[in-house]
Amino acid sequence: MNTIRAVVTASGCASVGEQILKALHHSSLPFHCIACDCTPDSTGATLADDFLVVPRAIHPHYAERMLTICRTQGADVLFIGSEAELIAISPHRAEFAREGVFLPLQPDEVLQLCLDKALLYEKLNSLGFFTPWYRRIKSLSDLSDIPEFPLIFKPSKQSGGSADVYIVREQNELNFFSAYLLERHGEFVAQEYVGTPDDEFTVGVLQDMDSKLMGSIALHRDLHTSFSRHLKTLNTTKRRELGELLIVSSGISQGVLGAFPHVCTPSASIATVLRGRGPMNIQCRFVGGKLCLLEINPRFSGTTSLRALGGWNEPEMLVRRHILGEQTMPPPYTQTVRIGRRLEEVIIPEKSSRA
């Protein structure tokens, strides 16, 4: 079998790109990996055969540079590791296709929908799916009639992981965080805090580029270690059923990997109704016998490497389908695997090339 040349972006420490590189290392296919990042200190360089420093996604010629890299490197596939790069590359997907580069990227309409949280919740509600109470906040007057605390405040548009996400337990916190988010982002989403930390799942739904469902898998998250939590605070509200601690998870996932049909089945239904293509990651809690959607990441996720470690390798499956032409569907995932994470030190190569 010929070597498959894969360009992987956003390969910095603990990034999605780094998790994609780890998944490719778990693959039985002969990958040659070219990692790219906007900083020369990328830990992803240690997982790749070659490493290139590239401009940030906001650079006016970012897509053009990436197209040149794919051409000169003879890339078979481009794996995108950040939301900012998804947005930058999406308008140019036809140019990559003309170069023969496979681009496992969600349709532009799915990207735009999932990266606007309030619009996504509205769409899913209209389709009969449940989301916790939410409201798009554009001014303080939009917070005049809210449900009982606690709430989650977060940017309504793509913001990079859990950046600027806050737990709001009482009026003083509401006043402070709403003023900050309105000044910083112009608008944000207020959402009901639901469930307990033990109720949280991250679900990977994989569709081929013809929207055919290839399967789904879930991680029942363990939020009891510090690096799996973005925020932790005491529950000082009247809602004691939420537990002693209110927690917002970080992008560093760990826990039990398995089929979990009670969350995988409705998550796959969401992806199917949205006519997704490629990888989709659904963050949710399972409360009161139903899936409570928190958000959707229309891309590979920080859990991609964990799934590959457990035997569910999404990048490999897409390459087998669309580059190697294999039509056999992957068998349903039947294992139950507990996966933990730890810090690991690496020596970063001093030499790198600048694209």
Side-chain angles (χ1 to χ4, degrees):
M1 182 183 296
N2 293 332
T3 299
I4 300 163
R5 297 181 65 85
V7 175
V8 183
T9 73
S11 63
C13 179
S15 66
V16 171
E18 189 176 53
Q19 309 317 306
I20 295 171
L21 285 166
K22 289 180 180 179
L24 298 180
H25 271 266
H26 288 302
S27 172
S28 59
L29 296 178
F31 281 104
H32 180 97
C33 297
I34 302 102
C36 299
D37 201 74
C38 61
T39 170
D41 298 326
S42 168
T43 54
T46 65
L47 296 168
D49 300 286
D50 299 297
F51 175 71
L52 298 172
V53 179
V54 298
R56 296 176 66 87
I58 59 174
H59 191 284
H61 300 296
Y62 170 79
E64 180 183 337
R65 297 281 184 90
M66 291 309 304
L67 186 62
T68 299
I69 287 171
C70 287
R71 183 184 300 120
T72 58
Q73 293 291 331
D76 298 294
V77 56
L78 171 61
F79 291 113
I80 301 175
S82 75
E83 290 182 357
E85 290 168 316
L86 294 178
I87 295 169
I89 293 291
S90 182
H92 304 275
R93 59 182 78 206
E95 298 164 42
F96 286 86
R98 283 195 293 270
E99 291 290 335
V101 179
F102 172 48
L103 193 62
L105 179 64
Q106 288 286 348
D108 191 65
E109 59 270 21
V110 175
L111 290 179
Q112 298 303 323
L113 177 66
C114 293
L115 297 180
D116 185 328
K117 296 178 179 66
L119 189 63
L120 173 66
Y121 303 150
E122 180 182 349
K123 175 71 171 180
L124 291 175
N125 286 167
S126 72
L127 294 171
F129 295 101
F130 175 78
T131 64
W133 176 93
Y134 72 93
R135 181 174 295 164
R136 190 190 298 272
I137 307 299
K138 294 185 176 182
S139 68
L140 293 178
S141 62
D142 293 329
L143 288 162
S144 58
D145 56 334
I146 59 173
E148 189 175 10
F149 291 114
L151 301 172
I152 297 292
F153 283 5
K154 54 188 175 183
S156 55
K157 302 294 178 66
Q158 166 258 345
S159 60
S162 299
D164 280 343
V165 177
Y166 302 101
I167 299 170
V168 177
R169 300 170 297 177
E170 42 85 21
Q171 189 65 40
N172 287 335
E173 292 179 350
L174 181 147
N175 294 339
F176 179 83
F177 288 122
S178 59
Y180 168 78
L181 288 169
L182 286 171
E183 180 179 357
R184 181 171 173 81
H185 297 280
E187 65 174 60
F188 65 93
V189 166
Q191 187 179 53
E192 177 188 5
Y193 184 103
V194 296
T196 72
D198 292 333
D199 299 322
E200 187 155 333
F201 291 82
T202 179
V203 184
V205 180
L206 188 65
Q207 296 161 281
D208 69 14
M209 305 314 289
D210 297 314
S211 292
K212 188 173 183 179
L213 180 66
M214 299 182 73
S216 58
I217 188 171
L219 184 79
H220 189 186
R221 299 191 64 167
D222 178 358
L223 302 182
H224 296 287
T225 58
S226 58
F227 59 68
S228 290
R229 300 189 298 252
H230 173 64
L231 292 173
K232 180 185 75 171
T233 189
L234 287 174
N235 181 10
T236 57
T237 73
K238 296 178 181 179
R239 296 190 60 194
R240 308 315 302 165
E241 77 278 9
L242 299 177
E244 180 182 357
L245 296 175
L246 305 176
I247 291 176
V248 172
S249 58
S250 72
I252 304 176
S253 305
Q254 59 182 332
V256 178
L257 191 73
F260 297 109
H262 61 294
V263 293
C264 283
T265 299
S267 294
S269 296
I270 290 172
T272 299
V273 167
L274 295 181
R275 296 194 58 79
R277 296 198 291 271
M280 182 177 289
N281 197 64
I282 294 178
Q283 305 288 342
C284 60
R285 287 187 173 181
F286 191 76
V287 183
K290 57 187 174 184
L291 183 145
C292 300
L293 183 99
L294 303 180
E295 59 184 64
I296 296 178
N297 298 312
R299 53 170 171 75
F300 291 106
S301 81
T303 318
T304 297
S305 60
L306 276 69
R307 297 168 187 158
L309 179 62
W312 184 261
N313 197 318
E314 296 155 300
E316 177 185 307
M317 285 189 279
L318 286 171
V319 166
R320 287 187 179 278
R321 173 60 58 88
H322 293 287
I323 293 180
L324 302 182
E326 298 180 8
Q327 296 303 310
T328 303
M329 292 295 289
Y333 194 80
T334 57
Q335 301 181 68
T336 300
V337 183
R338 180 175 289 277
I339 300 179
R341 278 184 146 159
R342 65 187 181 195
L343 297 176
E344 182 180 15
E345 296 74 31
V346 296
I347 295 176
I348 300 173
E350 292 185 5
K351 293 183 179 180
S352 61
S353 299
R354 187 173 295 275

